[in-house]
Amino acid sequence: MDKIGHRYAIQYFYLKGLSPAGIKSELDSTIGESAPLYTMIKNWVAQFKRGRTSCEDEHRTGRSYEVTTPKTVKKIHKIILDDHQLKVQELADIVDLSKSAVHRILTENLDMKKLCSRWVPRLLIIDHKQHREDVPMNCLAMFTKNKTEFLRRFITMDETWVHHYS
């Protein structure tokens, strides 16, 4: 049972007229090991006595908990691609997030790790995808700008120099 379920059970037994000790014994006999602590039961009974009717968490002010939005992840990724040597604190200052949130985005969402003062991808998956998106778009822009010059300068493979020594 989750914490919201515990709160509803406490409220039910409170409305039946049980004391916190009675509520604790009822919950222990009913749900056993997952029953809430006595202090939690006492706290919620006190809140219900003061007139609280909701068992849900109240809205809290301040910075929102969820900062790992796709927009934020993409913004951090673009900044890292521009400068791999940024420190986490500098990056946190740029995007106006906490240092721990930026570090979590770098390690969990972007799969990067710090290597010799540079942020590098672990498996290069995100960088490869970004590179595969950027190169064709640049080629298409150059092609639409000047078709003949683009085809004249476009290289399809690298030259290989092979030296033979006797």
Side-chain angles (χ1 to χ4, degrees):
M1 181 182 279
D2 62 340
K3 66 180 182 179
I4 302 294
H6 289 153
R7 293 174 190 172
Y8 280 113
I10 294 168
Q11 185 181 34
Y12 171 76
F13 288 125
Y14 166 74
L15 292 174
K16 280 184 75 173
L18 292 176
S19 67
I23 294 172
K24 176 67 174 158
S25 65
E26 283 288 330
L27 290 176
D28 283 342
S29 66
T30 307
I31 56 178
E33 291 287 324
S34 67
L37 297 173
Y38 179 72
T39 54
M40 179 184 163
I41 294 171
K42 228 168 73 170
N43 178 27
W44 278 97
V45 167
Q47 288 189 34
F48 293 137
K49 282 182 182 177
R50 287 191 296 261
R52 181 169 180 162
T53 56
S54 172
C55 293
E56 303 291 327
D57 287 328
E58 293 178 346
H59 178 71
R60 297 179 186 151
T61 60
R63 184 178 289 177
S64 66
Y65 175 72
E66 186 60 40
V67 295
T68 317
T69 60
K71 180 181 171 185
T72 308
V73 172
K74 191 165 187 162
K75 183 177 182 181
I76 290 174
H77 187 248
K78 290 272 189 197
I79 294 169
I80 284 294
L81 288 179
D82 291 340
D83 185 6
H84 285 281
Q85 295 183 344
L86 280 175
K87 296 177 184 170
V88 176
Q89 184 61 52
E90 294 171 345
L91 199 55
D93 292 340
I94 292 170
V95 294
D96 193 32
L97 293 176
S98 69
K99 187 176 165 182
S100 61
V102 170
H103 190 270
R104 187 177 58 251
I105 289 171
L106 286 169
T107 56
E108 294 175 9
N109 296 91
L110 296 176
D111 284 333
M112 294 185 147
K113 65 179 180 176
K114 195 77 162 173
L115 181 68
C116 296
S117 78
R118 292 176 57 112
W119 283 101
V120 294
R122 286 191 194 132
L123 301 175
L124 301 175
I125 294 172
I126 295 174
D127 282 344
H128 283 163
K129 287 180 181 178
Q130 186 65 42
H131 185 69
R132 287 181 182 179
E133 181 182 331
D134 292 342
V135 170
M137 295 305 285
N138 291 339
C139 288
L140 183 62
M142 290 188 319
F143 181 75
T144 56
K145 186 177 177 182
N146 190 350
K147 293 177 185 175
T148 57
E149 184 67 18
F150 174 78
L151 294 174
R152 189 179 72 79
R153 303 182 102 205
F154 194 74
I155 300 171
T156 57
M157 59 181 270
D158 293 337
E159 292 181 18
T160 304
W161 290 81
V162 179
H163 298 282
H164 177 70
Y165 296 103
S166 54

